């Protein structure tokens, strides 16, 4: 669970509600027509702009902004070293059984390709294409929220223009000008919230998640190719750790020493 | 047919009309002068900005935003495998007849080049240039709507400025200020709709369509070069599938097994 | 002559004038001071921003937005094939006479380099540098209008600020507020027109023109290097056509067949 | 200590306070609700947008904007030359003791890798990955302040919209309009300050700091690889100085002459 | 002297003053508090954003926007040909004396490296690094004015917000609203001038200057390496001219013919 996402969104909503209650009341901010034009219009334009599949996938990706268990690069490297040891001692075919127990689909698929005796060049080709597609899909998800963040204020403004035009067209009752204009401005307020409180943070967090996941998968790819090439598990470990940030690497030290001891 | 495009545009228009009817009436939003300056002006600037050919092509491309039959990568790969089998068993010349029945121009053209005995390097050269031109044409189409999406709000603002200047120049009748200003703001409303409800989604959907089509054509190109090189149909299939996203690939599994059985 | 440019600009002006006359009169839009600050200021800042030479060149390039005779890629390829035939039958030196009659400077210059027996590497080097400079000059021209399109609204706003400050400083006569503000807004109107009706379209059309011209010159360059290498005219033709878009290429088919018949 | 950062921030605050006191009083600019919505909202959205770790790191990096001791490239090069001399005279293993006294972690780590007899290719690989991670981390820090600089004015506007809506909803007391609107505008003022007086300068200074630090580390990397390759200390010095800007290099001249004299 | 810069800035100021005097008086535009917040604030934020050195260098670079003597590429090429002739006839060592009389530091430094017998690879390395640093420094200077051009309007708006808040907080005297608001708007006017009349043109002209200077230095670098390689002066000339734009090259023709005659 990503507590920061919950905390950030919650705190943001709290600040807004607190600020509203300071000199007004919440009911003035809930207006059915305004919701329709701002949220409905933004949603409609996004449906228009993206294929249905991409949209569904993006919606599902919001879940990962809030609930996320970062893959532990430690564990990943340990798994790969284990696989390398098996491959060395019992041969590549012995990996099949181990592969069955892997939780990561990407790793499992790559190991199965190796077990099948696929040409190394083709293994790299297939896995790199897969990686490129994962990255593309991530970028697609981010792009949905980026577009939404640009369309939200746009429809907010359209709503405010509608409110202003309606108000200006019949100014007979001067006392209605204020409240009418307040309602008109509410859509701009909604649009700003869509952009600043939701879409910008979601896009940003998805971007960071994506780069973390791609890095882990690159480590896996490098590791699997080394296993196929029959490299020494210790050298594989050193190579893989070079992919990790210094801070993460420190935690691996003990592992390495244990591993060296065992070998 | 791309239902999402129809649904998105329809829903967007519905939201706007609903919101207008909430406190005004539609007639206040239809103003001949405002249409002339916003839609006419935007259209004029786009005519000025692009060569006539590019403009016509972009207009035609709107059709593909709404009516679109995605090429099935399944079918494409099957076609290529079929062609590869023919080439293997009956020789490259036997492809001529098969090529006649292909529906895709790009594929047909490439196969004809191979049948003509064109040098492989030149085949790749010609087909890659063709691909580059297709991509350029797609980008050209997108750029028309992108420019239109920037010019629309621009002319909307020009219209509002004209409305304001006309109104301010003769303020004799105070009761006319409101309605006149309402009319002035209508052009900004039009401009915002051009950008947010039409140009942004159209540009975006064209971009996604383009990348899908280019990917399919890259698969074709790779496949044709493999056929010319006389590669084994099974290896060709594996190579081509590496281009496809994992999800699409799964659907191909049965095909592969059937194919292997037959071979 | 580029009818679209004339039509676009004309239509745009018509829409604006039509819209003005709808509820005001043109005289309210012509104000000497406003012209000075918006057009004069924008012009001054552009003079400040660019060297005199670049500015003159950009001004001249506007002509090409309106009057333009697209070089026929058909004719160009025919010329190169003719030159290749001469070179094959009568030797490279025989090209000198033919070069004299070429209308395109770039082609003529390249052929003269070949006639002079310049080293192929140096020919490519010189012609590619020349191409790079042509592209740079085109980008320089575009950049003048892009900058102008950004400065125009800037000076429009400066003008409106001046108008507002002057008006606010002496509000003694309330009846003058409206007309004074109308005048103040006129500069923003001018600035918007500079950007939307002139600079954006001109920049865009220059960009498209440039890419067309560069493409034609790349075809020439490739052709000249093939001539120098003594390649077969038919192969040269195939290579050059690979540079052209499919649509243009179709028109060349008859030519090719005629050519093949003659050979 | 970076006096310019203190001076710039101080002078900026002084200008703003001076300008406020010119015709108003500071108390009108301190409003609890406005602080909550602008600073609180911006902070909340940033918490939402970034992982907790990245955020903490970015907060810590602000310190370096104000307190910073530029590493002296002079000293660094001297250290490397010293190490090169030790390696030449006493062998690579003799570097271990010297490495212990190095203050720079990156340099120390690299030297230890060399002492451990790590393969040169792997040394470069590990150190370059480390450099890439340092650069990534710097970019992450900059991106926090860049995002904050975009969100600040966004929440400022949300605050002003809330203020306006609350004010417009109850216009019963006309005399309260002015003060209420003043309060509403205060959040936009806060948002502008967050962006212009804090985030833009901090982002910019972090960017410059980063490029300086990366340059120094590249010099170290090049130097360590040369030491491992057993190059002549004098040639190493010339190579490393080629990385430095001409101005810095002049200061090294005397050093060089002394060094040459000693050798 | 760059007359265009003086003329542009002068004409721009004239247009603004002319426009102000049209319906107001200059005194309304000079306000001490407004100067402090807009110019002072912008200056402060720039001081915060850049290291002191970079700032000083950028300030000095403004001089080159107004006073600039373009290096004549003609003369540069002639100098290099002369040096090449000396090197050919009297050996590389004979260049030392000639180098002493060179005015360009970059050329002088490179020749001295050659005289010192530095390895050609190292000469290229050092000079290219020097070129990269010159380009970096130029970009740094441009970036100061670009940042300033973004901060100027930002502080202009902060000033206007302060003016508005102060005004709205005490609306007791309605007759003071107009003049007070006029003063508030003056800072936005200042900010617009900083961006449109100064920073945009200066940034742009510095960018063009930089690319011209870098081009000339690349010609020098290529020339010096050819001299060191002992190439024929005539071939060096042809190579160097390939770097120049066609227009500049024409002027060199006579030179070439004279040179060829002499040789």
């Amino acid at each position: 669970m990503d507590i920061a996402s919950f905390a950030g969104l919650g705190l943001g909503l709290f600040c807004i509600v607190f600020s509203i209650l300071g000199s007004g009341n919440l009911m003035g901010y809930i207006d059915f027509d305004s919701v329709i034009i701002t949220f409905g219009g933004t949603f409609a334009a996004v449906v228009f702009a993206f294929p249905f599949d991409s949209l569904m996938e993006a919606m599902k990706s919001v879940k990962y902004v809030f609930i996320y268990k970062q893959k532990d690069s430690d564990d990943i490297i340990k798994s790969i070293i284990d696989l390398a040891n098996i491959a060395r001692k019992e041969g590549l075919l012995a990996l099949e059984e181990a592969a069955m127990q892997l939780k990561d689909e990407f790793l499992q698929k790559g190991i199965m390709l190796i077990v099948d005796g696929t040409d190394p060049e083709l293994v790299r080709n297939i896995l790199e294409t897969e990686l490129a597609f994962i990255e593309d899909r991530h970028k697609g998800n981010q792009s949905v929220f980026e577009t939404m963040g640009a369309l939200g204020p746009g429809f907010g403004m359209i709503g405010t223009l509608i409110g202003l035009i309606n108000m200006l067209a019949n100014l007979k009752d001067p006392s209605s000008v204020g409240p009418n204009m307040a309602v008109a401005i509410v859509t701009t307020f909604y649009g700003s919230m869509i952009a600043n409180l939701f879409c910008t943070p979601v896009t940003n967090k998805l971007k960071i998640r994506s780069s973390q996941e791609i890095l882990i998968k690159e480590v896996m790819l490098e590791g699997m190719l080394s296993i196929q090439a029959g490299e020494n598990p210790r050298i594989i470990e050193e190579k893989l750790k070079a992919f990790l940030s210094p801070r993460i690497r420190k935690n691996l030290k003990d592992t390495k020493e244990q591993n060296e001891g065992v070998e």
Side-chain angles (χ1 to χ4, degrees), chain A:
Chain A
M1 212 172 81
D2 186 327
I3 297 172
S5 293
F6 282 105
L9 181 56
L11 181 59
L13 286 171
F14 170 81
C15 289
I16 288 173
V17 170
F18 182 92
S19 175
I20 287 174
L21 294 179
S23 59
N25 77 74
L26 267 181
M27 290 316 294
Y29 291 78
I30 295 163
D31 179 65
F32 186 61
D33 281 16
S34 302
V35 168
I36 290 293
I37 184 71
T38 318
F39 291 91
T42 303
F43 176 70
V46 167
V47 166
F48 188 177
F50 290 90
F52 191 71
D53 287 5
S54 317
L55 213 62
M56 280 301 99
E57 196 134 22
M59 290 307 135
K60 270 186 271 168
S61 76
V62 176
K63 197 180 71 188
Y64 296 106
V65 170
F66 291 101
I67 294 161
Y68 179 75
K69 195 185 162 308
Q70 182 162 4
K71 271 160 197 154
D72 189 354
S73 48
D74 244 44
D75 289 353
I76 298 291
I77 293 193
K78 266 190 241 167
S79 299
I80 292 173
I81 304 299
D82 288 348
L83 291 167
N85 279 319
I86 294 173
R88 274 217 129 184
K89 288 173 197 154
E90 313 171 34
L92 288 176
L93 291 179
L95 289 172
E96 186 155 16
E97 203 181 339
M100 288 306 156
Q101 287 152 15
L102 292 170
K103 279 174 206 148
D104 186 272
E105 267 188 53
F106 183 78
L107 193 55
Q108 192 176 42
K109 163 159 200 177
I111 295 294
M112 288 314 294
L113 282 170
I114 294 173
V115 170
D116 288 352
T118 316
D119 182 75
E121 203 47 44
L122 196 56
V123 173
R124 175 183 283 278
N125 202 343
I126 290 176
L127 294 180
E128 278 181 350
T129 310
E130 192 125 4
L131 217 52
F133 276 110
I134 292 173
E135 210 171 351
D136 266 17
R137 214 175 56 221
H138 289 176
K139 282 206 185 125
N141 291 345
Q142 292 158 31
S143 135
V144 169
F145 293 102
E146 221 169 6
T147 306
M148 206 185 272
L151 288 168
F155 278 92
M157 201 182 105
I158 289 180
T160 297
L161 291 170
I162 291 176
L164 284 178
I165 294 171
N166 284 350
M167 183 194 86
L168 290 166
N170 34 356
L171 284 172
K172 288 160 204 163
D173 175 12
S175 78
S176 74
V177 168
N180 278 347
M181 217 167 134
V183 171
I185 295 177
V186 163
T187 59
T188 293
F189 169 73
Y190 287 170
S192 267
M193 293 226 299
I194 291 174
N196 290 295
L197 190 59
F198 187 70
C199 292
T200 301
V202 165
T203 308
N204 203 68
K205 195 151 247 175
L206 285 176
K207 204 174 286 177
I208 289 171
R209 286 277 144 79
S210 170
S211 72
Q212 287 172 338
E213 194 179 327
I214 295 295
L215 179 67
I216 291 275
K217 289 216 162 19
E218 275 170 357
V219 168
M220 289 179 187
L221 172 55
E222 234 24 73
M224 288 188 281
L225 291 171
S226 296
I227 289 176
Q228 194 176 23
E231 288 179 15
N232 185 313
R234 245 193 74 198
I235 291 182
I236 295 177
E237 190 177 357
E238 276 193 57
K239 268 169 79 173
L240 298 190
K241 284 187 312 179
F243 272 86
L244 301 181
S245 81
R247 194 184 311 164
I248 301 179
R249 227 177 292 156
K250 275 176 200 156
N251 306 331
L252 284 171
K253 264 199 168 154
D254 309 327
T255 321
K256 187 185 161 185
E257 276 148 21
Q258 288 170 17
N259 197 40
E260 281 175 341
V262 168
E263 241 196 8

